[in-house]
Amino acid sequence: MAYLLLFISAFGAATLLPLQSEAVLVALLVSAKHSALLLILVASIGNVLGSCVNWYLGLRIEKFKDKKWFPISEIKMLKAERIYQKYGFWSLLLSWTPVIGDPITLIAGLMKEGFWRFLLIVSIAKTGRYVFIYFVVMGIGF
């Protein structure tokens, strides 16, 4: 049940929902009742899959941009596109960061970033974050 809770929180946190998977991971690591490696793996898979949902939404979002209910103005869309064009796929290394990470994954889809490169870079960034959290929680220095 703990792994499922972690997966759901990590998946949701990677979407535009205001969830936080780090707190769940830390609580489970501190409890020492579960495999740390498996916890990191489950959190990483959930978080990366959530980012893949963002990428897919970004890929399909443009067809809705002329709708009245569309939440992003054309000016903001163009600005986000320019930023992604400036920094390119390397900006996906920031996909783990709070606030800007989730929109970056959405913009990557909007900019038609190749899925396999997206998946590789986001997997490195997201897994790296969880590994870092593990080292901090367990008091292991670098």
Side-chain angles (χ1 to χ4, degrees), residues 7-141:
F7 178 86
I8 291 169
S9 70
F11 181 90
T15 65
L16 300 176
L17 298 174
L19 297 175
Q20 189 180 47
S21 60
E22 294 86 352
V24 177
L25 177 63
V26 167
L28 292 171
L29 286 170
V30 169
S31 76
K33 295 179 182 176
H34 309 283
S35 163
L37 179 62
L38 195 51
L39 289 172
I40 291 169
L41 184 65
V42 167
S44 297
I45 291 170
N47 213 238
V48 169
L49 287 175
S51 291
C52 289
V53 168
N54 288 347
W55 175 85
Y56 183 76
L57 290 173
L59 199 61
R60 300 291 181 226
I61 201 168
E62 203 165 6
K63 70 180 181 182
F64 298 110
K65 72 179 182 180
D66 295 326
K67 303 287 185 190
K68 278 188 170 186
W69 53 263
F70 191 72
I72 304 169
S73 70
E74 186 174 348
I75 293 170
K76 287 182 181 178
M77 290 276 282
L78 291 171
K79 183 178 179 182
E81 288 176 20
R82 281 194 299 271
I83 291 169
Y84 196 84
Q85 286 171 342
K86 181 177 180 179
Y87 299 106
F89 62 86
W90 293 113
S91 62
L92 290 169
L93 289 171
L94 297 175
S95 63
W96 65 270
T97 59
V99 182
I100 65 167
D102 301 335
I104 287 172
T105 59
L106 185 87
I107 294 300
L110 179 67
M111 299 302 297
K112 312 292 188 264
E113 180 61 57
F115 179 72
W116 296 111
R117 180 164 52 185
F118 170 88
L119 185 62
L120 175 66
I121 295 172
V122 169
S123 295
I124 290 167
K126 302 264 186 176
T127 302
R129 179 233 350 237
Y130 289 125
V131 169
F132 177 78
I133 289 169
Y134 166 77
F135 283 126
V136 169
V137 168
M138 303 316 275
I140 300 170

